[in-house]
Amino acid sequence: APTGPEGYVLHSGAGDTSDRVWSIAAQSETAVTLAINLEDGLGGFPGNRRVEATWSLRGVDLCLDIVAVTDAPTLMNVAHHPYWALDGRNAGRDGHTLQSPARRYTPSTPVFTPTGDIASVVGTEYDFLNPISPAYTLDANLCLGERSTETPEPAATLTSDGGRRLEILTTAPGIQVFTGKPYGIALEPQLWPNAPAHPSFPSIRLNPGEEFRQQTIYRFSRI
């Protein structure tokens, strides 16, 4: 598998999907499915893999459904990496409060890979059980626990001083919170990063005949 300077798996390997051209596999008035084929060995991962991401509007919700398959055992942890600035580009990450039901998180090393510990958020800067303004030094995975693969559940609520609210519901067991860029706050539903190095983390192994599935709902409203 592709690795960083200490031999860990973080986001992806060389030639990750964010730098590649996706094709439109299907589209309608309210949805579009983007697809990409990743050849065996690309980025250091085995298997010919196909990933499809469907963006759709369902009422007032913006929904993302991700499906991936492989023809050989591989690792799969597709994550959407948006930066949210609810009051616009000029405000950037400023003026937000964040709330999450996550009671645990995965502490990281100085190079931002999980140590393998699963720690309580209480008394840390990752405690969002009550809404607070996030620090600008965050980069860790909040543990959401076991979840249904069919029913997205609350993961985070971001509100802005301008009166805008974003609720994120997902089937993923974790959500990365990253505040290190001034132009927005990143909230990324995911399986837990660096899982192959830590047997206690949810597995990111994907076998032939299986499907990787992740559903996320982005729900916008006014306070």
Side-chain angles (χ1 to χ4, degrees):
T3 61
E6 291 188 352
Y8 59 85
V9 178
L10 188 58
H11 279 299
S12 185
D16 59 322
T17 55
S18 64
D19 295 329
R20 297 172 68 84
V21 177
W22 294 54
S23 62
I24 297 176
Q27 58 184 318
S28 68
E29 291 186 355
T30 59
V32 61
T33 297
L34 305 177
I36 190 167
N37 293 316
L38 306 172
E39 60 268 23
D40 179 40
L42 180 68
F45 292 103
N48 294 293
R49 294 144 289 147
R50 181 174 176 83
V51 183
E52 295 187 353
T54 300
W55 289 97
S56 60
L57 291 173
R58 303 173 194 166
V60 298
D61 294 339
L62 176 62
C63 304
L64 174 59
D65 291 82
I66 302 172
V67 179
V69 294
T70 180
D71 65 2
T74 192
L75 301 176
M76 185 66 64
N77 187 7
V78 183
H80 175 47
H81 194 318
Y83 287 92
W84 300 104
L86 298 184
D87 285 338
R89 181 180 301 176
N90 291 336
R93 67 186 174 187
D94 296 335
H96 290 90
T97 60
L98 180 62
Q99 185 172 19
S100 173
R103 296 185 175 276
R104 299 183 300 166
Y105 79 110
T106 53
S108 296
T109 70
V111 291
F112 307 113
T113 182
T115 63
D117 295 327
I118 304 171
S120 171
V121 300
V122 175
T124 76
E125 58 187 1
Y126 293 96
D127 186 349
F128 299 107
L129 296 172
N130 295 301
I132 60 170
S133 297
Y136 291 158
T137 56
L138 306 184
D139 191 4
N141 172 66
L142 302 181
C143 305
L144 301 172
E146 278 192 45
R147 303 200 146 203
S148 165
T149 58
E150 302 296 330
T151 306
E153 299 177 41
T157 299
L158 192 67
T159 59
S160 74
D161 289 348
R164 297 175 177 88
R165 177 190 290 118
L166 167 63
E167 297 174 80
I168 300 176
L169 302 90
T170 187
T171 58
I175 187 168
Q176 189 84 6
V177 54
F178 173 61
T179 59
K181 300 292 185 183
Y183 42 78
I185 294 174
L187 297 167
E188 311 159 49
Q190 61 181 0
L191 294 169
W192 298 3
N194 206 26
H198 306 297
S200 61
F201 286 13
S203 174
I204 64 170
R205 181 185 174 98
L206 182 66
N207 295 312
E210 299 175 344
E211 287 185 333
F212 170 96
R213 286 188 170 272
Q214 184 188 108
Q215 300 180 56
T216 299
I217 295 172
Y218 300 100
R219 182 168 293 162
F220 298 91
S221 60
R222 288 278 188 177
I223 299 174

